[in-house]
Amino acid sequence: MSVITKTTYSEPNQKGYFGAYGGKFVPETLIPALNELEKAYKEASEDPEFEKEYLYLLREYVGRPTELSFANRLTDHYGNAKIYLKREDLCHTGAHKINNAIGQILLALRMGKKRIIAETGAGQHGVATATACAKFGVECVVYMGEEDMVRQKLNVDRMRLMGAEVRGVSSGSKTLKDATNEAIRDWVTNVEDTFYIIGSVVGPHPYPMMVRNFHRIIGDETKRQLMEMEGRLPDYLIACVGGGSNAMGIFYPFINNDVHIIGIEAGGLGVDSGQTAATLTKGRPGVLHGSMSYLLHDQEGQIELAHSISAGLDYPGIGPEHAYLHDTNRVEYRAVTDAQALEAVSLLSRMEGVIPALETAHAFAWLEELMPTTSPDEIVVLNCSGRGDKDMETISKYL
Amino acid sequence: MNRINKVFEDKKNEKIMSLFITAGYPDVTETVDLVLGFERNGADIIELGIPFSDPLADGPTIQYSSNIAISKGITIQGIFNMVVDIRKESEIPVVLMGYINPMLRFGLENFFTTAAKAGVDGLIVPDLPLDEGGMIEELARKNGIQLIYLIAPNTSDDRMQLSDQKSDGFVYCVSVTGVTGAREGSEVQQSVDKFIQRSKANITKNPLMVGFGIKNFTDAQNISSEVEGFIVGSALIETIRNSYPSEHWKEVVFDFVHQLKFGYRNS
C-alpha cells in the first residue's frame, strides 16, 4: 500500500493543498472572506466550548451516535465477509449532511454572520441547511438547479416548510454545478454579512478540510463501535463519492490504518457512454468552484455535463482530497452504473429492510464485485449515507 | 515598449478606455471586425474574453455571451488566430481575460508562448488570485505577457501593495463587491470613492483602471475622475445583444462606443 500508511497523514498543507489538489481559485473579493473563515475555523476548532456545543447538538438534535448495524441477511446472501452498515440514514433529516450543516452554522453564528446561503443537488444538503437555520432562526437562501427541483420536489417542499427560500437556477445544466456557481455569485455580492455553507468536501480552502472534519465523526464512531463489537478494525471500507463528503467522513479516521478503502463513483449509463459522473475514472485535473481537482471537461476546458440517476452524485467535479487519495493509490475508486445502483436499492430493501438513497446504493452495488473476493473471517463496513424516501418517485419508475 | 505601457505613456491627458468583448460573440466571424471598429471609435485597450462554461465572477450578461460563443464553436486557438488577424491591421493593446481551467487544459506553457507569438500583451485571470498566481507568473514574465491582478473594495492595503508589485501594465479596480454587470449609477459611485482613494495610496507602480458596473459616459467620467481610465464590458455586450442581428447593428454598437469615450455620437 502507499506511503501514506507508513507516515502520519497531515493533509492539507498551509495553502490548502492535498498534494497537487485544492487551493483557493476564487475572485479577489472572496479572499478576505476565506481568510476570515480560515481564522475563525482555526480558533473554533481549538475552543473546547465550540466542540462541546457541536457534540451536544449532534447528540440531542441529530441523534448521534448513529448505529453500526450488522447486516446478517446481506452477509448470508453473499456468504463471505461480515457486512456492517454505518447508519447515517438514521440522522435527523435522513442523511449525513446535517453533521456539516450544524458545524458550519455554529461557525457562522460565532462569526456574527446574519445570512446563510447554500447550494444543493439532491436537496439533502439544502434540507440539512434549512433545518439548521430553522433551529437557530437564521435567514436561509438555497440555490437549486431547476432540473433538480423537479427531480427532488419533496426536498424543495421540506426546505420551504422550514422557512428557507429556494431559488431556482436556470443557467447551464440547471443542476448542482450551476447552483454552486450561483451561490458563489451571491457570496461575492453579499460577502460582508453572508456565510456560505458548502455541502461537500469541495470548494476553496478551507472548505474541503473543514467539511471533512465536521463529518469525521462518522469514521470515529465506526472505529469505536466496531472495536466494541468485533475487537478490531474492518478489512474493507466502502462509501459512495459525488463531491465526496460522506466518504471523507468515514475514510479519514482510517487513513493511517491498514484498511482497504474503496470509493464508488456514479457511472451513469456506463463510464464510456458519455453519460457519466465518474470524475476520477474519466476526468482529468482542472479547476472548478475554487479548487484544483479531477473534473469532467472537454478539450477546450469547458465543463461537461455529468449524468447520474442520483441527483446527489450528478456533479462533474470531486473533492480535492479524493483526487489526492486517488493519485497516491491510498483509496481505490470504482464506478457502478445507474442500473447497478437500482438493483442494489432493491436488494438492500428486501434483505435488510433499509431503503437506501440512490447515492448510497452505489456503494452497496460494489458488493457484487467485492464480496466474492472476501472470506468469512473478514469485515466490510459500508457507509449507509442516506435513506431513500426522497428517491421513491424515481425508484418507482423502475419497480 | 509593451503596447499597454505605451498607451498610458502616449495618452496621459485623456481617460483610457478599455473595452471587454467575449471572443466569438455574437459570432466567431465578427470579433476581429468589432475590435477594429472599437479602436476607430475610441477604444484604447481591448480585453478579449475567453469564454468559459462556468464563469463564476460574471453576471447574467457575460454568462449569456460566453454560452453563445461556446455554442458557435469558439476555441482558444481560434482566439489566438483572431489576435493574429487584429495585429495585421492594428497595434491596439490586447489583453486576454479568462478563467484558469481552459488555459490549464490548453497547457500553460503552450498558452503563453502561443499568446506571445500572436501578439497578446496582457492577461487577466479572475479566478487566479495572488495566492495562486505563482503557477503563471514566471511563464508570463518569460513570454512578455503582462499579468494584471484585480483588487476589490474589501482588499486589504497589504494585498493592494502586493497586487501592484505583481502586476504589470495596470491594476484592475473592481468597483463593487459583486459579479460583472451594469448597475445603477448611484449604486456604483457612492461606494467607490473611498475605495479609489485607498487604491491610489497603495498602488504606486501601475496605472489604475476601474471597472464593473459602468454603463455610459457619465458613469465612466465620474468613476474614473481620479484614476487613469475605465473598463466597460457588460453594457457593451448588452448593446450588441439588443441590436444584433438587425441591419445596422454594428453602427449602433460603434456609436455606443464613441459615446462612452467622448460623450457624443460619431457622425
Side-chain angles (χ1 to χ4, degrees), chain B residues 41 251-252 254-256 258-259 262-267:
Chain B
N41 286 279
E251 285 167 44
V252 175
F254 293 155
D255 262 356
F256 173 80
H258 195 272
Q259 288 236 28
F262 303 105
Y264 55 88
R265 293 167 58 121
N266 178 23
S267 52

Side-chain angles (χ1 to χ4, degrees), chain B residues 3-252:
Chain B
R3 295 183 192 90
I4 301 173
N5 298 123
K6 189 167 183 319
V7 159
F8 286 101
E9 192 67 34
D10 290 352
K11 300 190 175 181
K12 280 196 167 129
N13 299 318
E14 52 185 290
K15 293 297 171 197
I16 302 297
M17 178 169 81
S18 180
L19 293 184
F20 172 93
I21 176 80
T22 304
Y25 178 78
D27 195 278
V28 286
T29 59
E30 298 288 359
T31 303
V32 173
D33 198 41
L34 279 176
V35 167
L36 296 173
F38 293 163
E39 184 184 20
R40 285 196 306 275
N41 286 279
D44 301 300
I45 298 173
I46 297 296
E47 287 171 30
L48 208 47
I50 303 171
F52 181 46
S53 54
D54 296 77
L56 51 76
D58 286 301
T61 303
I62 295 176
Q63 290 175 43
Y64 168 83
S65 60
S66 302
N67 287 338
I68 296 283
I70 292 167
S71 73
K72 302 247 175 173
I74 191 81
T75 62
I76 290 192
Q77 187 56 54
I79 296 171
F80 288 137
N81 295 344
M82 288 171 184
V83 178
V84 169
D85 287 343
I86 292 167
R87 280 285 163 263
K88 288 175 186 158
E89 308 196 28
S90 166
E91 285 298 303
I92 191 165
V94 173
V95 174
L96 295 184
M97 183 165 183
Y99 294 82
I100 191 69
N101 197 58
M103 298 173 201
L104 285 169
R105 190 67 193 252
F106 194 83
L108 290 179
E109 185 104 34
N110 193 16
F111 181 87
F112 278 94
T113 53
T114 316
K117 218 177 289 169
V120 170
D121 303 290
L123 181 68
I124 304 172
V125 189
D127 61 347
L128 201 71
L130 289 167
D131 314 58
E132 305 294 348
M135 69 164 61
I136 62 170
E137 278 161 7
E138 181 57 24
L139 279 169
R141 200 194 51 75
K142 212 169 65 187
N143 289 286
I145 304 285
Q146 299 195 308
L147 208 53
I148 294 151
Y149 281 104
L150 299 100
I151 57 172
N154 59 349
T155 303
S156 66
D157 289 355
D158 287 356
R159 280 184 74 88
M160 282 188 182
Q161 288 162 24
L162 194 59
S163 303
D164 191 25
Q165 267 176 44
K166 299 269 186 183
S167 294
D168 283 305
F170 61 90
V171 170
Y172 191 140
C173 292
V174 176
S175 63
V176 289
T177 55
V179 294
T180 56
R183 288 170 173 79
E184 288 309 312
S186 59
E187 190 189 335
V188 177
Q189 190 58 38
Q190 282 164 11
S191 55
V192 84
D193 290 345
K194 262 194 193 155
F195 168 51
I196 297 287
Q197 290 311 322
R198 207 161 57 80
S199 305
K200 284 183 64 175
N202 288 301
I203 309 292
T204 52
K205 186 185 94 180
N206 287 292
L208 281 171
M209 294 287 283
V210 60
F212 278 40
I214 299 169
K215 62 182 188 310
N216 56 38
F217 175 74
T218 315
D219 282 357
Q221 291 301 309
N222 287 340
I223 207 168
S224 66
S225 61
E226 300 291 318
V227 300
E228 280 79 359
F230 60 92
I231 301 162
V232 177
S234 296
L236 174 61
I237 288 166
E238 277 300 324
T239 305
I240 298 173
R241 188 176 176 177
N242 292 333
S243 54
Y244 179 85
S246 68
E247 195 184 347
H248 299 293
W249 72 275
K250 243 180 237 175
E251 285 167 44
V252 175

